Amino acid sequence: MRGRFSADGSSANFGGLNLTSVDFRMIDRFVFTSCGTGWHACLVAEHLIERFARIPVEVDYASEFRYRNAPLDRDALFFVISQSGETIDTLAALREAKRKGYKCMAICNVVGSTIARESDGGIYQHAGPEVGVASTKAFTSQLMISAMFALYVARMRDMSFADGVEYVSGLKVVPKLVERILQQAPHIREIAIRYAKYNDFLFLGRLSLFPIALEGALKLKEISYIHAEGYPAAEMKHGPIALVSPECPSVFFVPSGDLFNKVVSSMQEIKARNGLIIAIAPESCDLPTGLADEVIRIPDCHEAVVPILATVPVQLLSYYIAVARGCDVDKPRNLAKSVTVE
Ligand code: BG6
């Protein structure tokens, strides 16, 4: 965030996009592509840009996009997300889009990386070097940049000055709110030690929390080798609920607002089948007593930063489960920090 807010405090500011507000006026669609954890960040960017800027967004796996020959809108702006800036499928997707004459932006952590150099502009993450193979701080910084970019475009479209100021203050308190979640690490560690014996997990969330359910499942897979799947919570009853048993815990992301009751009823479906529930819920929401076996609270916050706050508990949960199972958290088996060969 540092140095990236407009002087009037109602929007974000990015110096590396090389595009004017007039250029942005012409854009009627964004296409985001990436691999691994970066792809989950693309899904959050999609949700936030469509929610706040009302511009349609397409998301594609880079490895699919490079061969899919997708018909794209003429006035689309192309984005790739890559922590390392060297992932071969993402680089190829960028080259494919450029071959078709699209302007390509990159959200990247490694300064001077191939993807950063070959893009037409972009946003550096400034997350510092990420050493662990499984992405953690690079993901939360990609979510922060996605939230700031959605604001940036929204203020160029129909978002009011007042809503922009409220959004900016919602972003600026994130470090403090994350600090409060980190103080719950001992509580999350205790839960992890109790649940480390299970070999199957479901992660369930809705709207901007669905990609976080995917990321929570990926983190657990990557570093503890537990089979885990992420789903939109309502999708559960169309199949995944068959997995539910006392041996397959479910991690629920409980939203505040309109979908709260719907997610509570999904949780009741799991409870009715003796499934264990770990709930990640806002401090202000009143969960029915006894519905969740474990509750991890996240502070109430601006809608655009909920995905960031919800990510930290599942990163910690997968970390402590992996440690409890004696896994090498930094160098998990079969994985590389950046996949540079196809
Ligand atoms: C994998 C990493 O190799 O590549 C993941 O283990 C990462 O953590 C993915 O999300 C994509 O990498 P990058 O650097 O392009 O974001």
Side-chain angles (χ1 to χ4, degrees):
M1 285 191 274
R2 201 164 295 125
R4 286 181 161 164
F5 291 112
S6 60
D8 68 359
S10 77
S11 186
N13 228 355
F14 297 109
L17 290 171
N18 307 328
L19 291 170
T20 66
S21 52
V22 177
D23 295 329
F24 270 104
R25 248 296 138 208
M26 302 305 177
I27 293 161
D28 61 10
R29 179 177 290 271
F30 292 102
V31 179
F32 276 74
T33 189
S34 182
C35 301
T37 289
W39 183 73
H40 297 151
C42 291
L43 294 175
V44 172
E46 173 186 36
H47 178 83
L48 297 177
I49 293 168
E50 292 188 343
R51 163 79 179 80
F52 291 103
R54 310 304 293 153
I55 300 173
V57 177
E58 271 176 54
V59 174
D60 223 331
Y61 278 111
S63 53
E64 292 294 298
F65 178 85
R66 61 181 294 189
Y67 294 115
R68 196 161 72 80
N69 195 22
L72 292 175
D73 273 40
R74 200 191 51 177
D75 301 321
L77 181 64
F78 205 80
F79 264 89
V80 299
I81 296 185
S82 176
Q83 187 285 127
S84 63
E86 304 298 344
T87 300
I88 196 73
D89 285 321
T90 309
L91 180 57
L94 176 123
R95 289 175 176 162
E96 179 68 7
K98 288 192 74 153
R99 184 176 298 115
K100 293 180 187 298
Y102 287 95
K103 266 202 180 303
C104 297
M105 303 289 127
I107 295 175
C108 222
N109 195 37
V110 177
V111 175
S113 58
T114 311
I115 286 176
R117 279 183 283 113
E118 292 197 17
S119 64
D120 298 303
I123 306 170
Y124 277 127
Q125 297 180 222
H126 300 308
E130 186 173 69
V131 182
V133 167
S135 189
T136 48
K137 65 175 183 177
F139 180 61
T140 44
S141 83
Q142 285 161 359
L143 297 184
M144 175 54 80
I145 287 175
S146 301
M148 293 174 74
F149 183 72
L151 168 68
Y152 180 66
V153 185
R155 284 288 288 128
M156 283 191 231
R157 297 289 166 109
D158 308 324
M159 182 184 273
S160 70
F161 176 83
D163 289 349
V165 169
E166 190 191 321
Y167 195 120
V168 169
S169 45
L171 294 174
K172 285 186 172 172
V173 292
V174 166
K176 277 204 187 59
L177 301 182
V178 169
E179 201 59 58
R180 274 172 47 195
I181 298 171
L182 293 174
Q183 279 154 15
Q184 293 184 67
H187 169 55
I188 298 173
R189 182 168 174 275
E190 281 163 23
I191 296 173
I193 290 169
R194 280 198 293 277
Y195 285 72
K197 62 175 178 271
Y198 297 108
N199 293 317
D200 299 284
F201 276 74
L202 280 177
F203 286 74
L204 301 154
R206 300 199 68 163
L207 300 181
S208 68
L209 289 170
F210 162 50
I212 310 307
L214 292 173
E215 180 60 13
L218 180 62
K219 285 279 109 25
L220 202 56
K221 280 182 267 204
E222 282 178 310
I223 62 172
S224 70
Y225 320 136
I226 289 175
H227 164 242
E229 299 197 45
Y231 279 94
E235 195 53 31
M236 174 195 66
K237 48 185 180 287
H238 304 290
I241 197 166
L243 290 173
V244 171
S245 78
E247 295 311 310
C248 174
S250 298
V251 177
F252 268 93
F253 294 91
V254 182
S256 48
D258 305 349
L259 292 180
F260 172 74
N261 290 329
K262 299 203 181 301
V263 170
V264 164
S265 72
S266 299
M267 291 167 76
Q268 284 158 342
E269 300 252 3
I270 297 272
K271 229 11 167 188
R273 292 162 180 81
N274 303 319
L276 293 170
I277 294 178
I278 299 172
I280 296 174
E283 282 165 358
S284 63
C285 93
D286 219 357
L287 277 173
T289 317
L291 179 57
D293 301 278
E294 318 286 348
V295 182
I296 301 169
R297 294 284 177 180
I298 58 174
D300 295 307
C301 60
H302 189 282
E303 183 189 338
V305 299
V306 170
I308 300 173
L309 300 194
T311 295
V312 177
V314 285
Q315 290 176 338
L316 282 172
L317 187 69
S318 56
Y319 168 77
Y320 287 124
I321 287 179
V323 170
R325 290 169 76 112
C327 301
D328 182 340
V329 172
D330 293 333
K331 293 195 182 62
R333 70 186 186 202
N334 306 343
L335 289 176
K337 183 67 200 155
S338 182
V339 178
T340 54
V341 290
E342 207 183 339

